[in-house]
Amino acid sequence: MLLVTGRGGGTELTGTVFERGEEPPTYEGAPEEAAAYVWICDSFYQVESGGSALTVDGEEIRIAFEEPMPRGFDTRTQAVVAAKEHVRTQFARIGVDSADVVVEVAKRNPA
């Protein structure tokens, strides 16, 4: 299991790459993934009202979440590249420049 964490604008977002032999969580609407590596992470966007409060660069904004959509990959490299891109995209959607986002990948052993 790999945790991919992006930090920027005073906040962070973490998603998970499930590796070969690990079983990603299932939930209603999740596709059947037989891929060797599966990436799962929240997606969100800024809204004018409703949603959840989030402080970015010292300013409170409102965000709404989209349902997570698992994505399958054949190789670890493909999964990590896509995960990093996804994390940077989420920050861009709330106005944080991708150059200001630090992305880290850490191995985590499942409990």
Side-chain angles (χ1 to χ4, degrees):
M1 181 180 304
L2 301 174
L3 299 180
V4 181
T5 301
R7 292 179 181 84
T11 191
E12 68 180 53
L13 170 67
T14 299
T16 306
V17 174
F18 292 89
E19 299 183 279
R20 212 177 287 274
E22 298 173 339
E23 191 168 325
T26 58
Y27 50 88
E28 187 174 336
E32 294 294 322
E33 289 290 349
Y37 298 88
V38 177
W39 164 246
I40 300 177
C41 188
D42 287 329
S43 295
F44 51 82
Y45 54 95
Q46 189 169 350
V47 293
E48 293 297 318
S49 63
S52 300
L54 178 68
T55 302
V56 177
D57 288 330
E59 179 182 334
E60 184 176 286
I61 64 169
R62 309 294 300 178
I63 60 170
F65 289 89
E66 298 172 346
E67 190 168 319
M69 183 60 64
R71 293 181 54 200
F73 300 92
D74 293 329
T75 69
R76 176 190 278 194
T77 299
Q78 290 171 327
V80 170
V81 167
K84 288 178 176 181
E85 180 180 317
H86 175 91
V87 168
R88 288 185 189 285
T89 297
Q90 300 318 299
F91 280 94
R93 292 172 86 180
I94 60 170
V96 178
D97 189 309
S98 65
D100 296 332
V101 178
V102 175
V103 180
E104 297 174 345
V105 179
K107 177 86 171 154
R108 177 172 179 249
N109 295 322

